Amino acid sequence: MDKHEAKTKLANIMEKFIGLACKRLPDDVYAKLKELREREESEIQKVIYDTYFDNLDKALKLNRPACQDTGLLHFYINCGSEFKYIGIVEAALREAVANATVSAPLRQNAVNYFEERNTEDNTGERMPWIHWEIVPDNDELEICVYFAGAGCCLPGRAQVFKPSDGYAAIIKYVFDAVSDLGLNACPPFVVGVGLGHNVENAAVLSKMAYLRPLGTTHAHPKGAKLERDLLEGLNSLGIGAQGLPGKQVAMEVHVESSARHTATIAVGVSVSCYMHRRGFIKFNNDLEFDFSKSYKGVSI
Ligand code: SF4
């Protein structure tokens, strides 16, 4: 397959995958929402969850996005150093997004700065947003697509503290950010916390954290404990689905970290919403694909 054929093939597959992922929650998120519904006790919480599931069923039956805000398209890519079509990936994703805007359909959300003009196909300057990681000695391409909505993940926060503020500053910052950002999102959400050394890397880590599959934990036992403690604390605020009184404002808290400078502590917070539409798809060097990590028993 030459590069032109590969680009067309990848774009076509990704257009269909975007169409799937904007309508169907990934299996782990759907299962988590079912679990939370059973744990809530108040009648109003059960009604909200039932409405969520009804909405998700109707999205599939009517073949339309499960929430009107299909967001800006973010792609987080793990690309093997031996994946042979690396050069056409970005162009294929732009084409896929533009075509999926019509075929899915997606709401037209991308606006160019300085011209104040909606581009009408969800592409634009550095849009879709693509984050690359190169995986050594690997020949696969894994793409995570995320529909980054304006009420949830786009208004994230990041700040740099001094070590003299102590690690307690991290906890306060996360609680302040979640109780503020959570007002705009539709809970329950996944909270991503990035611990790093500057604003940029803490923000990126917070995004990587909330993309992690549910049920996974930070690699360090203390990081995993921090995740559990933050979840327990946030879920004791008395906020439930849709911000009404309830027992669970968060599905999970995920922490990702990097080493920090001796004189900085940086924290980033990203909050999703119950419509946590993120899908993983993996390609080999023949562009054969598999998305069973996110959706089992489904085809496109
Ligand atoms: S917060 Fe999520 S579910 Fe609510 S409107 Fe935004 S994208 Fe949709």
Side-chain angles (χ1 to χ4, degrees), residues 167-189:
Y167 281 0
I170 296 170
I171 310 298
K172 181 173 185 313
Y173 189 75
V174 172
F175 272 76
D176 287 349
V178 170
S179 50
D180 183 10
L181 299 178
L183 294 176
N184 287 325
C186 298
F189 31 64

Side-chain angles (χ1 to χ4, degrees), residues 26 64 91 137 139 145 179 242 261:
R64 60 185 63 163
D137 301 323
D139 62 359
V145 58
S179 50
Q242 282 299 321
H261 189 284

